[in-house]
């Protein structure tokens, strides 16, 4: 998350524009105290809502687990997995090469 001071915004508002175009969450501060967060606007926020979109982004970035996602959305893990799969997001991430190495150990 990027942090921008309110004085920096007054002198150079393009800083915020660049951060939003890069889809970075940006904390805005006044005298080093957080006063707000700026997020880029996209279709996912409209269709899923802000809370769901932020949680899904957190899951995709590896910041929260599937269980934490489900609990935060007050849905079952199965429904969370279905939601993610409907959005084209991998629910299980694993390396096929690791599986092959494991199988080779048993052969």
């Amino acid at each position: 998350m990027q942090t921008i001071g309110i004085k920096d915004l007054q002198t150079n508002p393009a800083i915020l524009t660049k951060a939003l175009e890069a889809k970075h969450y940006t904390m805005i501060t006044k005298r080093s105290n957080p006063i707000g967060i700026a997020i880029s606007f996209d279709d996912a926020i409209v269709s899923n809502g802000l809370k769901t979109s932020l949680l899904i982004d957190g899951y995709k970035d590896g910041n929260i687990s599937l269980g934490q996602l489900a609990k935060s959305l007050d849905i079952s893990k199965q429904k969370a997995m279905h939601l993610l799969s409907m959005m084209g997001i991998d629910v299980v991430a694993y390396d096929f090469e690791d599986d092959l190495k494991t199988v080779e150990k048993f052969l």
Side-chain angles (χ1 to χ4, degrees):
M1 179 183 294
Q2 183 176 357
T3 302
I4 300 174
I6 197 80
K7 287 194 179 210
D8 293 331
L9 281 175
Q10 291 171 337
T11 58
N12 187 5
I15 297 171
L16 181 59
T17 302
K18 289 178 185 176
L20 294 174
E21 287 174 342
K23 306 248 186 245
H24 294 145
Y25 299 122
T26 306
M27 182 185 310
I28 301 171
T29 61
K30 181 178 181 182
R31 296 187 182 122
S32 299
N33 294 316
I35 61 171
I37 294 179
I39 60 170
S40 60
F41 189 78
D42 62 14
D43 291 338
I45 291 173
V46 174
S47 60
N48 299 327
L50 180 60
K51 177 182 177 181
T52 302
S53 293
L54 291 174
L55 288 167
I56 289 172
D57 284 348
Y59 175 80
K60 287 192 308 190
D61 293 342
N63 296 323
I64 64 171
S65 68
L66 177 67
Q68 291 168 323
L69 174 67
K71 186 174 181 178
S72 297
L73 293 175
D74 197 27
I75 58 177
S76 68
K77 287 182 185 177
Q78 289 78 17
K79 286 184 180 180
M81 289 177 7
H82 180 72
L83 173 67
L84 293 170
S85 66
M86 294 299 291
M87 297 178 78
I89 300 168
D90 292 334
V91 177
V92 177
Y94 69 94
D95 187 2
F96 185 68
E97 293 295 323
D98 286 342
D99 286 349
L100 287 177
K101 289 176 185 175
T102 303
V103 169
E104 290 174 357
K105 287 180 184 178
F106 289 107
L107 296 178

